Amino acid sequence: MKTLETKRLLLRAFKPSDLEDFHAYAKIPGVGEKAGWLHHKSLAETQTVLDAFMKQNEVYALELKENNRVIGSLGIHQRSDDTVSKEIGYVLSKTYWGQGFMTEAVKRVVAHCFEDLEQEKLYCGHFVENKASKRIIEKVGFTFLTTRKYYSKNMDQHFDECYYVLSKADYNSTKNV
Ligand SMILES: CC(C)(COP(=O)(O)OP(=O)(O)OC[C@H]1O[C@@H](n2cnc3c(N)ncnc32)[C@H](O)[C@@H]1OP(=O)(O)O)[C@@H](O)C(=O)NCCC(=O)NCCS
């Protein structure tokens, strides 16, 4: 995966030395749960997920340029039904919430998907009560599609999820506004 840069972040592949940083935010209750996974109970659990990220090669580590720490992740996930659309998902360390980091990262990834990866559509969802994620999705220019049921196998729980799409045409018409 190609490393991407924003003003404050490097978006790059996860590497083995990210284990401690990843665990530091993944172990905090109420962070992963907002994205459909339970907070990690051990370093070994984080290691398993980190190994999967490194193997799958579809999840970016968000590295803060200022201190070279990994403060979150952003995935560009394959959708089962086609090759010209992707679904994005993201998590940020609670320490860094409310400073515009994820909006900055999502905007960069959206540009990458449409301009480099030749995608036609991007999808993104948030659980109904997740107002911060809703706000990011709106700020980036996604259009609301539907509210649907989402089952998290990891949490063995059903959620109501608001689901959105952003087309390349809509991206092109708004990117310079
Ligand atoms: C959702 C998450 C990624 C947001 O990251 P962030 O870097 O804090 O987000 P940003 O600062 O870029 O933007 C958040 C926006 O939501 C707004 N917001 C935050 N909390 C809010 C709330 N309770 N109600 C309404 N708006 C809220 C912020 O004011 C900001 O909007 P603004 O720029 O117009 O002021 C982060 O909270 C997180 O990782 N949460 C846990 C995992 C998660 O929810 N992942 C997404 C799954 S869909």
Side-chain angles (χ1 to χ4, degrees), residues 31 34 90 92 97-98 100 102-103 125 130-133 135 139:
V31 177
K34 286 177 183 279
Y90 41 80
L92 186 73
W97 288 6
M102 198 53 83
T103 304
N130 193 340
K131 302 294 184 221
S133 187
R135 183 79 189 110
K139 282 196 289 183

Side-chain angles (χ1 to χ4, degrees), residues 110 118 141 147:
V110 165
E118 299 182 345
T147 300

Side-chain angles (χ1 to χ4, degrees), residues 24 28-29 45 48 56 68 79 82 123 126 132 137 157 160 171:
I28 305 297
E45 193 180 345
T48 301
Q56 291 159 0
N68 301 115
R79 280 160 51 85
D82 64 57
Y123 292 85
H126 66 79
I137 292 168
Q157 196 175 331
D160 290 322
Y171 164 75

Side-chain angles (χ1 to χ4, degrees), residues 82-126:
D82 64 57
T83 56
V84 291
S85 75
K86 294 271 191 283
E87 180 164 331
I88 62 168
Y90 41 80
V91 171
L92 186 73
S93 162
K94 200 167 186 175
T95 309
Y96 296 92
W97 288 6
Q99 299 175 52
F101 281 115
M102 198 53 83
T103 304
E104 188 174 315
V106 171
K107 281 184 175 167
R108 183 66 191 91
V109 158
V110 165
H112 174 58
C113 286
F114 289 130
E115 293 175 16
D116 307 326
L117 301 182
E118 299 182 345
Q119 297 297 300
E120 292 298 327
K121 285 182 178 172
L122 289 179
Y123 292 85
C124 192
H126 66 79

Side-chain angles (χ1 to χ4, degrees), residues 4-70:
L4 307 173
E5 193 170 358
T6 69
K7 189 165 166 251
R8 297 175 292 174
L9 300 168
L10 278 186
L11 282 63
R12 52 132 177 106
F14 271 95
K15 47 193 184 191
S17 56
D18 296 328
L19 180 64
E20 297 284 347
D21 286 349
F22 183 14
H23 185 64
Y25 70 81
K27 72 179 180 187
I28 305 297
V31 177
E33 280 83 356
K34 286 177 183 279
W37 49 269
L38 292 165
H39 61 279
H40 296 182
K41 313 293 189 306
S42 67
L43 200 58
E45 193 180 345
T46 305
Q47 180 75 68
T48 301
V49 181
L50 177 62
D51 289 345
F53 283 176
M54 290 190 291
K55 195 171 163 201
Q56 291 159 0
N57 218 26
E58 54 181 36
V59 179
Y60 277 105
L62 308 188
E63 180 182 318
L64 188 58
K65 286 189 204 173
E66 166 188 300
N67 60 10
N68 301 115
R69 309 315 300 227
V70 170

